[in-house]
Amino acid sequence: MTKSALQIVRAHYVPKMPAGLEGNVRIEEGAATQSVADTKEIAKLFPNTYGTPILKFVPTDGKKSADKPVNVGVILSGGQAPGGHNVIAGIFDGIKSLHPDSKLYGFLMGPGGLVNHEYKELTHKIIDEYRNTGGFDIIGSGRTKLEETAQYDKGLQILKQLQISALVVIGGDDSNTNACVLAEYYKANNAGVQVIGCPKTIDGDLKNEQIETSFGFDTACKVYSELIGNIQRDCNSARKYWHFIKVMGRSASHIGLECALQTHPNICIVSEEVEAKKQSLDNIIDYIADVIAKRAEQGNNFGTVIIPEGLIEFIPAMKALIAELNDFLAHNQAEYDMIRKSEKRSYIISKLSPENAEIYASLPESIALQLTLDRDPHGNVQVSLIETEKLLAEMVKTRLGELAKEGKYKGKFATITHFFGYEGRCAAPSNYDADYCYSLGYTASLLVVAGKTGYMSSVRNTTAPAKEWIAGGIPITMMMNMERRHGEMKPVIQKALVRLDAAPFKYFESQRNKWALETDYVYPGPIQYFGPTEVCDQPSKTLQLEQLGKIVG
Ligand code: FBP
C-alpha cells in the first residue's frame, strides 16, 4: 500500500493518555444507577444488566497484569468516524500489556461479521499499519442490526470457537443499544461473554452527563469547518454567490452548530430551535430571505448558510408526515416497491391522512420521492439522501422574487449548494480524537479484564490536558429510554440533541445577528498534527463551552 508522507510520520505519533491508565489501576464503584426515563420498562427488559454502578479507574500500586490471557472480539458498527483504528489499537495494547498471549479478533464489515462468522485476528503487524489513521478499513463496518436471538446464538458459536470472552462494539446510539441487548442476553444465558460499548459517531449525539462526546465529532467538524472557511474566503473574494451548505448529522444539529462556532457563517439553522419554536418551512425561508435582503441593501450579495442534515425531520409538519411515512412503509414496503416510479407519488398520497397528503403533495417531486427511499436497518429515514440544501435554495429564490416584486429586495441572487458529510468521516484523526480514541480502547480492555458487561467505555475531563483525563465505565442501561421504532416501542439509548438552554447554543444565539450582517468570517484552516498545542490539541468549541463555559482557543 502506498502511503502519504503524513501517514508515514503520523504512524509514530504516541497518543496521550490519562495518567491513571499508565500504571496499575483499581476500580472505584459509584452508587446504583437508573435509566434516564421509562425506568420500570427498562429495568424489566434488562433484569441482569440494569442498575449497575458507574465505574472509575484510579491508579494504584502493584504490577499491572492479568492472571491469564484474554481473547477479545471487536466490531465497528455504523457510519465511519475518525479515530476508530485508534480505539482498536488501544484495546490491543491494553490486553497485550495485561497478558502478552491475549488475542484480538476483528469481525468483518460490522455486526454482520459476527453472525456470519467472518473475522480476522489482529496482529501487531496489522495494528501498526493502522495506528493514527482515519477510516474503518482495518476490518470494515456495517449497519446490520442485531435483534434476533438466532443472530445472538449464531454469534455465540464463533465466540466460543475462538474462546472469546468479551466483545467490544464500537458504534453510535443504535449500535450501543444492540451491545446492551446482547450483553443482557449473554448474561441471562450464562454464555460467558461480556459485551462492552464505545461511543462513536461524528454526529455528536451520543453524549450525556458521563459521556462527554462521541469520538469522530472533533475531527469531522474540523474538516467541514476548514472547507466552510475556504468557501467563505472565496465568496468574500468574488462577492457573487450565496453558498447553501448542508452538513451531516442525521438527527441532531451539533455538527452544524460546531461548524458555525468555528467559522461564523451568515446563517446557521439549528433544527432543535426550529422544532421548539414550531417553525414551518416558510418561516425558515422568510428568515433566510430577510438576511439576504438586508445584506443586499449593504451591497453584499454573497454569504453562507449552514443547514443541518436532519432539518426536515424537525419541522413539525414534516415530522408528522415522516412519522406516518415510517409507519406506513414499515408495514407496506413490499407493496410500495412494486409500484411503478411514475405512480409512487400518487400512491403515497392516496395512503396518507388528508393533512399529511396535502403537505406531501406540495413538495417538489424529487424531495417527495427522497422521503420514501429505503429506511436504514434501524428504521430511520436516510436524511443524507434528501437534498434539503437544494430545496431551501430553490424556495429562497422564489421568495426573493416575490420580495423584489413588492419592492423589498434589490439584489442579485446566485447560489451554489454543497453537502459535507463523507468528506470528514474518514479523515486522519485530530490529536484530540487520536488521544481520546486510544484511551477509550484502552479503558475498554480494562473493563473486559475486570469482568464487566453492559458498560460503555468512558473518558472524561477531556478539556483538561490528557494526563488529567478520567477513565471508567458507564452502564449502558443508564442512557436508555423507550422510543417508537419501526412502528413499535423499543428500548434505545436516548439521543442527545442540541440543548437550547446550554452554552454552545446560547453563545451562537448571542452572536448570530452580528454574523448575519457583518462579514465576520473565521478561516480555521486544515487540522494540524504537529506544532504548538494551542493549534493542535484544542477540543471542539462545543466541548469548551459545555465544560468550561467559554471558548478558550
Ligand atoms: P452513525 O450514527 O452510524 O455514526 O452515522 C452517522 C452518519 O454519518 C450520519 O451523519 C449520516 O446521516 C449517516 O451516517 C449516513 O449513513 P451512510 O453511511 O449509511 O450513508
Side-chain angles (χ1 to χ4, degrees), residues 494-510:
Q494 197 174 51
K495 254 189 208 314
L497 300 178
V498 168
R499 280 182 43 195
L500 303 183
D501 58 350
F505 181 79
K506 285 277 163 213
Y507 180 78
F508 163 73
E509 196 180 28
S510 72

Side-chain angles (χ1 to χ4, degrees), residues 291-316:
V291 172
I292 293 174
K294 285 191 177 130
R295 281 182 66 80
E297 275 168 28
Q298 304 166 343
N300 294 327
N301 289 302
F302 65 93
T304 47
V305 184
I306 297 183
I307 303 150
E309 184 186 58
L311 175 64
I312 205 103
E313 284 194 288
F314 284 77
I315 300 169

Side-chain angles (χ1 to χ4, degrees), residues 68-75 91 95 102-107 114 155-156 158-160 162-169 179 182-183 186 191-197 443-455:
K68 51 183 175 49
V70 58
N71 287 359
V72 174
V74 64
I75 296 176
I91 302 171
I95 58 171
S102 296
K103 284 185 181 166
L104 182 62
Y105 291 94
F107 289 98
L114 176 71
L156 190 57
I158 189 70
L159 294 170
K160 287 285 168 207
L162 298 171
Q163 297 178 355
I164 290 174
S165 60
L167 188 64
V168 181
V169 178
L182 200 59
Y186 286 161
V193 178
Q194 308 151 234
V195 185
I196 301 295
T443 303
S445 77
L446 296 175
L447 290 167
V448 166
V449 173
K452 302 297 173 188
T453 192
Y455 274 86

Side-chain angles (χ1 to χ4, degrees), residues 74-78 106-120 139-148 150-159 167-170 175 178 182 186 377-378:
V74 64
I75 296 176
L76 287 166
S77 182
F107 289 98
L108 308 181
M109 304 309 294
L114 176 71
V115 180
N116 302 329
H117 298 190
E118 287 159 358
Y119 64 89
K120 75 173 172 201
I139 49 174
S141 184
R143 290 196 185 274
T144 305
K145 187 166 170 60
L146 295 178
E147 56 185 354
E148 311 280 336
Q151 293 173 308
Y152 310 155
D153 293 337
K154 195 90 194 299
L156 190 57
Q157 284 169 9
I158 189 70
L159 294 170
L167 188 64
V168 181
V169 178
I170 302 172
S175 313
N178 293 349
L182 200 59
Y186 286 161
H378 301 275

Side-chain angles (χ1 to χ4, degrees), residues 77-81 136 141-143 171-175 200-203 205 224 247-251 255 309 376-378 381-385 419 421-422 425 495:
S77 182
Q80 286 69 253
F136 277 6
S141 184
R143 290 196 185 274
D173 51 345
D174 286 331
S175 313
K200 168 237 72 167
T201 176
I202 60 160
D203 292 3
D205 55 9
Y224 305 144
V247 289
M248 256 191 186
R250 194 182 60 210
S251 196
I255 294 180
E309 184 186 58
D376 74 8
H378 301 275
V381 170
Q382 299 194 57
V383 281
S384 62
L385 304 179
F419 169 36
Y422 300 96
R425 295 203 313 185
K495 254 189 208 314

